[in-house]
Amino acid sequence: MQRDETPSATQLLIQGTSQAAGFVIGALLGRWLGTLVGWDAFGPDGYTWPAMAGIVLIGLGGGAGLQLARRWYNRRYGISRT
């Protein structure tokens, strides 16, 4: 469902805030999952393979949280051109 009108400032604020919150929450969940399985991204040993896997989980979690926030916004307000 494509929107023809320009989104209001309030809708743009909601879009930006929800996407930022989704990214942060997803990244925190990825960090939590990484430490749960022993892949500490911020461990004292530097860039080991478990640390790199932890960094990947943080990135995947942040991206997934962002995508979920976008889908929520699009369902609620329609697909925006911005």
Side-chain angles (χ1 to χ4, degrees):
M1 175 169 91
Q2 184 74 25
R3 292 170 48 105
D4 291 331
E5 70 272 0
T6 304
S8 70
T10 304
Q11 288 176 345
L12 290 174
L13 180 65
I14 291 171
Q15 181 182 25
T17 304
S18 66
Q19 288 182 8
F23 178 81
V24 170
I25 291 170
L28 288 173
L29 287 173
R31 163 90 170 119
W32 174 76
L33 181 62
T35 57
L36 187 67
V37 297
W39 299 342
D40 189 8
F42 303 111
D45 298 333
Y47 288 114
T48 60
W49 285 110
M52 296 300 283
I55 292 170
V56 167
L57 279 178
I58 291 171
L60 289 174
L66 174 66
Q67 291 302 315
L68 286 174
R70 282 184 180 170
R71 288 182 186 197
W72 171 83
Y73 179 85
N74 290 340
R75 252 187 265 124
R76 182 166 172 101
Y77 295 104
I79 297 174
S80 169
R81 290 183 291 167
T82 60

